[in-house]
Amino acid sequence: MADSTNRKPDWVIAKERAKKASAAETIWLFGLHAVRDALANPAREKLRLVVTRNALSRLGDTGGLEPEITDARIFDREVGLPPDSVHQGCALEVRPLDWGSLTDRAITGEGAPLVVALDRVTDPHNVGAVLRSAEVFGARAVVAPARHAAPETGALAKTASGALERQPYLRIGNLSDGLQALKDAGFYCIGLTGDAELGLEDALDTAGGRPICLVLGAEGPGLREKTRETCDALARIPFAGPFGSLNVSNAAAVALYATARRFNSA
């Protein structure tokens, strides 16, 4: 009879299983730009490169990875991509990137003292566009919860147009805890919501010279109540008309521009 006193707690077993599953997970990146940037990223673990002859001639350096040449007519079946994937005859199987901790990347990492946090933004196209804007404006990281947020996918990578390989995308256990950690490190967290009375420029004035975390929610439900409560301030992007609105990726781009301009002029 087994000694139950030596049995690991259920939460430890679940955590170990999740870690093993994560280690075994792979994703397919597709499209010439996304694949080319992933091949050039030394931090990316690359497993298989499947291309048509035409795509291979356009791809260039494969980084030492031996390509598998396939016919364009059977490419989708060979790789198993979704039917609407614009792959350009090029796909790369990889493991997800490990960007490290919130402290290493967002609090003390390279780049402007600027972070973007996403609350329940599950559309990979929106997250990809946010990553691209975050890279353009020099943000340290984009932070999102491990659950109820878009994971790394081929669609996200293609929309990010290479930024997925260079812009830290941190998936953390609890977003509110992450925001509190940023606040404890001196960040001023500004939640963007259309019903706020304070304008973004005024919120940035209130922050003074402190590091900034811009917090954005999914279109429709917006920021969760706990997220709103954790933010230092709620702000809106002023519109010229009474019915103006932006999707989350466009709102992130506008807010990043306004915030980065403050840092650059300081």
Side-chain angles (χ1 to χ4, degrees):
M1 182 175 177
D3 184 359
S4 61
T5 60
N6 293 327
R7 185 178 182 275
K8 294 180 181 179
D10 290 342
W11 69 269
V12 173
I13 295 173
K15 188 174 182 179
E16 290 177 347
R17 286 175 178 170
K19 187 174 182 179
K20 288 180 180 178
S22 178
E25 179 185 359
T26 66
I27 57 176
W28 282 98
L29 306 180
F30 55 82
L32 288 166
H33 197 163
V35 169
R36 189 179 290 121
D37 283 309
L39 286 169
N41 182 5
R44 175 71 83 173
E45 185 179 353
K46 299 165 275 281
L47 304 174
R48 290 178 64 198
L49 174 62
V50 181
V51 292
T52 63
R53 292 194 180 278
N54 179 57
L56 181 60
S57 66
R58 299 166 60 195
L59 182 62
D61 185 14
T62 65
L65 191 64
E66 186 68 27
E68 301 175 29
I69 310 297
T70 190
D71 191 282
R73 292 169 294 183
I74 64 169
F75 187 92
D76 289 348
R77 186 167 71 250
E78 180 78 17
V79 178
L81 296 176
D84 59 345
S85 302
V86 184
H87 52 69
Q88 300 173 288
C90 182
L92 178 67
E93 186 180 19
V94 300
R95 296 201 190 279
L97 287 166
D98 181 4
W99 283 107
S101 70
L102 186 72
T103 298
D104 292 341
R105 289 291 180 175
I107 295 176
T108 62
E110 297 179 357
L114 172 59
V115 171
V116 178
L118 301 177
D119 188 12
R120 295 186 302 179
V121 180
T122 58
D123 186 331
H125 300 94
N126 275 332
V127 175
V130 172
L131 285 168
R132 189 174 183 180
S133 295
E135 180 185 30
V136 167
F137 293 110
R140 286 182 183 170
V142 174
V143 180
R147 298 178 61 191
H148 308 299
E152 282 191 45
T153 62
L156 188 155
K158 188 165 180 58
T159 307
S161 192
L164 179 62
E165 304 301 322
R166 299 178 295 270
Q167 179 64 46
Y169 179 39
L170 306 179
R171 308 276 303 285
I172 61 177
N174 184 287
L175 186 62
S176 293
D177 289 348
L179 294 179
Q180 188 60 55
L182 288 169
K183 290 171 63 175
D184 291 344
F187 277 76
Y188 191 79
C189 296
I190 302 175
L192 294 177
T193 175
D195 60 8
E197 296 183 4
L198 194 66
L200 177 58
E201 294 286 345
D202 293 330
L204 291 171
D205 286 341
T206 303
R210 295 170 62 183
I212 298 293
C213 177
L214 299 169
V215 190
L216 298 99
E219 295 167 48
L223 300 174
R224 287 176 291 181
E225 190 60 34
K226 180 63 173 176
T227 305
R228 293 169 68 104
E229 292 172 357
T230 309
C231 289
D232 293 294
L234 299 177
R236 57 182 172 79
I237 297 173
F239 300 113
F243 302 110
S245 64
L246 295 170
N247 70 17
V248 63
S249 60
N250 288 332
V254 171
L256 280 162
Y257 169 74
T259 308
R261 186 178 60 179
R262 291 297 182 99
F263 289 133
N264 292 335
S265 62

mmCIF file of all heavy atoms in Angstrom, residues 24 48 64-65 84 103 110 126 131 199 206-207 209-210 222:
data_model
loop_
_atom_site.group_PDB
_atom_site.id
_atom_site.type_symbol
_atom_site.label_atom_id
_atom_site.label_comp_id
_atom_site.label_asym_id
_atom_site.label_seq_id
_atom_site.Cartn_x
_atom_site.Cartn_y
_atom_site.Cartn_z
ATOM 1 N N ALA A 24 5.833 21.014 -24.181
ATOM 2 C CA ALA A 24 5.571 20.220 -25.377
ATOM 3 C C ALA A 24 4.821 21.010 -26.447
ATOM 4 O O ALA A 24 4.706 20.560 -27.585
ATOM 5 C CB ALA A 24 4.765 18.979 -24.997
ATOM 6 N N ARG A 48 10.588 22.977 -37.442
ATOM 7 C CA ARG A 48 10.377 22.573 -38.841
ATOM 8 C C ARG A 48 10.097 23.791 -39.700
ATOM 9 O O ARG A 48 9.359 24.691 -39.291
ATOM 10 C CB ARG A 48 9.194 21.613 -38.974
ATOM 11 C CG ARG A 48 9.364 20.234 -38.419
ATOM 12 C CD ARG A 48 8.066 19.434 -38.605
ATOM 13 N NE ARG A 48 7.738 19.227 -40.009
ATOM 14 C CZ ARG A 48 6.523 18.883 -40.456
ATOM 15 N NH1 ARG A 48 5.513 18.762 -39.603
ATOM 16 N NH2 ARG A 48 6.314 18.689 -41.733
ATOM 17 N N GLY A 64 20.250 28.049 -41.092
ATOM 18 C CA GLY A 64 20.791 26.716 -40.880
ATOM 19 C C GLY A 64 19.739 25.634 -40.749
ATOM 20 O O GLY A 64 20.078 24.449 -40.636
ATOM 21 N N LEU A 65 18.459 26.002 -40.754
ATOM 22 C CA LEU A 65 17.389 25.016 -40.636
ATOM 23 C C LEU A 65 17.091 24.438 -42.021
ATOM 24 O O LEU A 65 16.858 25.175 -42.975
ATOM 25 C CB LEU A 65 16.139 25.678 -40.057
ATOM 26 C CG LEU A 65 15.002 24.761 -39.619
ATOM 27 C CD1 LEU A 65 15.446 23.869 -38.467
ATOM 28 C CD2 LEU A 65 13.789 25.593 -39.191
ATOM 29 N N ASP A 84 -8.096 30.000 -43.636
ATOM 30 C CA ASP A 84 -8.007 31.416 -44.007
ATOM 31 C C ASP A 84 -6.612 31.993 -43.780
ATOM 32 O O ASP A 84 -6.410 33.205 -43.864
ATOM 33 C CB ASP A 84 -9.042 32.243 -43.235
ATOM 34 C CG ASP A 84 -8.868 32.131 -41.723
ATOM 35 O OD1 ASP A 84 -8.149 31.219 -41.268
ATOM 36 O OD2 ASP A 84 -9.468 32.959 -41.000
ATOM 37 N N THR A 103 9.320 41.446 -13.492
ATOM 38 C CA THR A 103 10.384 42.291 -12.939
ATOM 39 C C THR A 103 11.498 42.504 -13.944
ATOM 40 O O THR A 103 11.957 43.634 -14.181
ATOM 41 C CB THR A 103 10.955 41.671 -11.655
ATOM 42 O OG1 THR A 103 9.911 41.590 -10.670
ATOM 43 C CG2 THR A 103 12.100 42.509 -11.105
ATOM 44 N N GLU A 110 14.829 46.895 -20.739
ATOM 45 C CA GLU A 110 15.232 47.943 -21.654
ATOM 46 C C GLU A 110 14.012 48.671 -22.198
ATOM 47 O O GLU A 110 12.899 48.172 -22.181
ATOM 48 C CB GLU A 110 16.024 47.337 -22.816
ATOM 49 C CG GLU A 110 17.322 46.658 -22.391
ATOM 50 C CD GLU A 110 18.059 46.043 -23.563
ATOM 51 O OE1 GLU A 110 17.516 46.111 -24.695
ATOM 52 O OE2 GLU A 110 19.152 45.509 -23.361
ATOM 53 N N ASN A 126 -5.828 41.908 -32.710
ATOM 54 C CA ASN A 126 -5.689 43.089 -31.861
ATOM 55 C C ASN A 126 -4.391 43.053 -31.065
ATOM 56 O O ASN A 126 -3.672 44.055 -30.968
ATOM 57 C CB ASN A 126 -6.884 43.206 -30.903
ATOM 58 C CG ASN A 126 -8.068 43.906 -31.526
ATOM 59 O OD1 ASN A 126 -7.914 44.737 -32.426
ATOM 60 N ND2 ASN A 126 -9.265 43.575 -31.083
ATOM 61 N N LEU A 131 1.251 44.823 -30.078
ATOM 62 C CA LEU A 131 2.682 44.519 -29.991
ATOM 63 C C LEU A 131 3.476 45.358 -30.995
ATOM 64 O O LEU A 131 4.555 45.862 -30.680
ATOM 65 C CB LEU A 131 2.924 43.032 -30.254
ATOM 66 C CG LEU A 131 2.549 42.072 -29.122
ATOM 67 C CD1 LEU A 131 2.572 40.640 -29.624
ATOM 68 C CD2 LEU A 131 3.477 42.232 -27.937
ATOM 69 N N GLY A 199 -9.349 63.243 -19.053
ATOM 70 C CA GLY A 199 -8.737 62.998 -20.341
ATOM 71 C C GLY A 199 -7.351 62.399 -20.174
ATOM 72 O O GLY A 199 -6.704 62.555 -19.129
ATOM 73 N N THR A 206 -0.949 64.270 -14.281
ATOM 74 C CA THR A 206 -1.015 63.848 -12.887
ATOM 75 C C THR A 206 0.116 62.878 -12.541
ATOM 76 O O THR A 206 0.653 62.898 -11.430
ATOM 77 C CB THR A 206 -2.372 63.167 -12.602
ATOM 78 O OG1 THR A 206 -3.425 64.072 -12.934
ATOM 79 C CG2 THR A 206 -2.492 62.767 -11.138
ATOM 80 N N ALA A 207 0.484 62.049 -13.524
ATOM 81 C CA ALA A 207 1.548 61.065 -13.293
ATOM 82 C C ALA A 207 2.908 61.717 -13.122
ATOM 83 O O ALA A 207 3.807 61.140 -12.509
ATOM 84 C CB ALA A 207 1.602 60.078 -14.452
ATOM 85 N N GLY A 209 6.540 62.605 -13.752
ATOM 86 C CA GLY A 209 7.614 61.898 -14.441
ATOM 87 C C GLY A 209 7.690 60.424 -14.106
ATOM 88 O O GLY A 209 8.702 59.776 -14.405
ATOM 89 N N ARG A 210 6.639 59.873 -13.493
ATOM 90 C CA ARG A 210 6.667 58.473 -13.099
ATOM 91 C C ARG A 210 6.545 57.552 -14.313
ATOM 92 O O ARG A 210 5.991 57.928 -15.350
ATOM 93 C CB ARG A 210 5.526 58.180 -12.123
ATOM 94 C CG ARG A 210 5.655 58.920 -10.798
ATOM 95 C CD ARG A 210 4.387 58.794 -9.972
ATOM 96 N NE ARG A 210 4.080 57.414 -9.613
ATOM 97 C CZ ARG A 210 3.000 57.042 -8.939
ATOM 98 N NH1 ARG A 210 2.118 57.953 -8.561
ATOM 99 N NH2 ARG A 210 2.791 55.784 -8.654
ATOM 100 N N GLY A 222 -14.808 45.880 -21.845
ATOM 101 C CA GLY A 222 -13.852 46.846 -21.290
ATOM 102 C C GLY A 222 -13.080 46.279 -20.114
ATOM 103 O O GLY A 222 -12.852 45.076 -20.011
#
